[in-house]
Amino acid sequence: MIYKLRHYFGLHRQNAIDAFDDLIQKPLASMLTIAVIGIALALPAALNLLVQNGRSVADSFDGIRDFSVYLKPSTSLADAGKLAESLRLRSSIKTVRIISADDALKDFQETSGYSEALSTLGTNPLPHTLVVRPTEAADAARLTTLAAELSSKNNVDQVRIDTDWVKRLSAILDLLRRSVAIAGVLLIAAVIIIVGNTIRLDIQSRRDEIEVLKLLGASDGFVRRPFLYVGVWYGLVGGLFGIVLLVISALILAEPIERLTGLYQANFALQGLNFTSIGAILLGGFLSGWIGAWTAVSRHIASIQPE
Amino acid sequence: MIRFDHMTKRYEGGRDALRNISFEVPKGELVFLTGPSGAGKSTLLKLLACIERPTRGQVFVNDRNIGRLPNRQIPRYRQQIGLVFQDNKLLQDRSAFDNVALPLIITGMHQREVGRRVRAALDQVGLLKKEKSAPRTLSLGEQQRVGIARAVVSRPGLLVADEPTGNLDPELSLDIMRLFKRFNDIGVTMVIATHDLNLLNQLGGKRLVLKDGEIDEHTLPEFKR
C-alpha cells in the first residue's frame, strides 16, 4: 500500500517536472502567457494595497474627532477655564485645550498672512475656543449627543465637529474596496480564461499524441494530468511574476509617498506586500491555473478519440 | 480467444462495412486477414481494438463482450492487447526507449521494472543499441520494429496489426513478418491484416479472406464454430 502510494506520488512528481519542462521548451509563448497572468493577478493586489493604505491614512487623522467649541464673545477667559474644568470631569472626554482669543489671533496673524489687515481692526474679533478631544471609546452617536449638549450651554456660541470629510473619505474607500473586489473577480476570471485557452491550444496541437496514448490504453485521467500541471505552473509562475511587478512598483512609489506624508506630517507608513498578500496571489494563481486547465481538459480530452 | 457472433457493422448513413460476420480464433493462433481494400479489414480490426462498436451481434475477446464494454473500461481493455499500425504511430518527440515504455507507464509500472522490460522488448526486435534514437532518425523498418516492441512490451495475449508491412519493401516485410511469427511461437494470439499475398505464401498461418464486408466462404472452414 505504502509502496503504491509512493509510486503514485512519484508519477505525479514526474508529471509536474515534465509539465515544467514543457513550459521551458517554448519560452516565448510561455512568457507571454505568464506575463498576462502576472499582470492580471498584480492589478487587484495593487488596488487592494492602495485601499488598505488609504484606510491607514484615514485612521492616522485621529484628531479629526476633535470638537471645536466656540464660546460667545462675551465669555471671559476665567469662565472658559471653568467650563473646560467641568468638561474634563466627563468620562467621554479625554482632554480639553483652551485657545484664548489672543493666542488664536496671534496664530492667525502668523499663518494667514493677513497680519496687517488684522492689526487695523483694533479689537480682536475672535472668541475663546475649547478644543475637546473625546475618548477612543466614544462612538459616533455619543459624540453627536455630546455636541448637542455642549451647544445648548449658555456660554457656547457654536460647536463644530469636522468629521464630515472623514466620513466622505471613508465612503470613498468603501466604494473603492468594492470596486477592487469586482476588478479582482473579473481579473481572476480573465486568468482562468487565458489558462483555459492556452491549454486548449496545447491539447489541439497534441491531438495525435493524445490519440496514440488512448490507443495504448491511457485513461482520460492519465491524459489529463500533464495538462493540469501545465495550468498550475502557468498560474504559479504568473503569480510570482505578479509579485515581482508589485515589489518594483512599491520601490518606485516609496520615495514620493515619503515626501507626501512628510508634507502632511501624517502618521503614516506605506504598507508593502505582506506574507498574506503574497500567499493570496500565489494561491489565486494556483487555483485559477488549475481551474482554467480543468475547464479545457474536461471539455476537450474526452472528445478526442482514435479513429 | 476471439469470437464474432453474427456481427454487423454499419457506419452512420453508409452501407454495411461488415455483414453478419461469425468466426472464432482459438488462443495462440496466427490469423492473416486479407482481401481487397474496402473489404472491411480495417473495420474488423477497429472492432477488436474497441475503436468501433458493432451495430448488431457480438464480439468477444477472452469471453468478454467488448462490443458492450462501458467507455471507462475501454482503457483497461486496450492495455491488455497490443496494437501495431501501418504508420507505426510513434511519438516523434520521444526516443525509441520512451515510446516503448509508454504502455507500461500508462499501467503505472514502477520505473526500474519499466527499464528492464523495455530493454527486453527492444532486444527482442534487435534494436537495443538504438534505444536513445529519435524515431525519425531510424529507417522505416526499424521504426516499425519499435512499434512492435511497444505492442508486445506489456506482454499482451492478443496482438492486432493493421497492414504492418504496408510501407515497407518486400525484404523488410518478410523480416517483420518473421518477427511476428516469433512472438506467435511463444503463445501470442495474432490477427494481422495484409493484402500482400506474396508475403503470405512464404509464411504459414491461417487466412481469413474478407470480400465486400463478408467472409469468403472458402476460408471459413478453418474458423468454423
Side-chain angles (χ1 to χ4, degrees), chain A residues 42-61:
Chain A
L43 266 174
L47 291 171
N48 188 42
L49 280 178
L50 204 68
V51 172
Q52 269 180 23
N53 279 307
R55 197 143 277 294
S56 67
V57 169
D59 291 347
S60 72
F61 287 104

Side-chain angles (χ1 to χ4, degrees), chain B residues 19 27 29 36 46 70 109 113 121 126 133 144 158 164-165 208:
Chain B
R19 204 163 32 252
K27 208 176 167 89
E29 199 73 71
K46 281 177 185 172
M109 189 179 283
E113 178 72 2
S133 307
Q144 193 55 284
L158 171 65
T165 61
L208 189 66

Side-chain angles (χ1 to χ4, degrees), chain A residues 22-23 25-36 198 234:
Chain A
D22 242 36
L23 249 59
Q25 292 294 308
K26 32 181 188 170
L28 186 68
S30 307
M31 279 311 292
L32 286 174
T33 307
I34 286 165
V36 174
T198 308
Y234 272 130

Side-chain angles (χ1 to χ4, degrees), chain A residues 243-300:
Chain A
I243 290 167
V244 170
L245 288 181
L246 285 176
V247 168
I248 293 172
S249 315
L251 287 177
I252 294 171
L253 290 178
E255 198 255 319
I257 284 178
E258 211 167 293
R259 225 172 335 131
L260 191 68
T261 52
L263 282 176
Y264 278 90
Q265 296 174 333
N267 169 26
F268 168 70
L270 180 68
Q271 290 173 12
L273 273 178
N274 50 23
F275 282 112
T276 320
S277 32
I278 288 175
I281 293 171
L282 288 180
L283 185 71
F286 172 87
L287 283 178
S288 45
W290 191 80
I291 294 169
W294 185 261
T295 55
V297 296
S298 62
R299 265 195 310 171
H300 298 291

Side-chain angles (χ1 to χ4, degrees), chain A residues 3 7 209 214-215 217-218 306, chain B residues 51 75 78-79 94 108-110:
Chain A
Y3 166 82
H7 179 54
E209 181 182 341
K214 288 198 169 183
L215 281 173
Chain B
I51 298 169
R78 288 198 186 130
Q79 288 169 15
R94 299 180 204 206
M109 189 179 283
H110 195 276

Side-chain angles (χ1 to χ4, degrees), chain B residues 37-57:
Chain B
S37 48
K41 300 192 294 289
S42 289
T43 301
L44 200 147
L45 296 189
K46 281 177 185 172
L47 285 153
L48 284 175
C50 234
I51 298 169
E52 296 291 349
R53 291 182 186 276
T55 313
R56 272 196 303 279

Side-chain angles (χ1 to χ4, degrees), chain A residues 56-104:
Chain A
S56 67
V57 169
D59 291 347
S60 72
F61 287 104
D62 200 23
I64 294 315
R65 284 151 59 88
D66 290 2
F67 297 68
S68 298
V69 180
Y70 300 101
L71 303 180
K72 286 185 176 147
S74 54
T75 316
S76 71
L77 195 56
D79 286 342
K82 272 186 213 156
L83 182 58
E85 211 51 55
S86 72
L87 289 179
R88 280 191 186 108
L89 296 174
R90 291 172 180 247
S91 62
S92 55
I93 289 171
K94 201 170 167 189
T95 60
V96 180
R97 189 158 55 94
I98 305 172
I99 301 171
S100 70
D102 292 345
D103 285 346

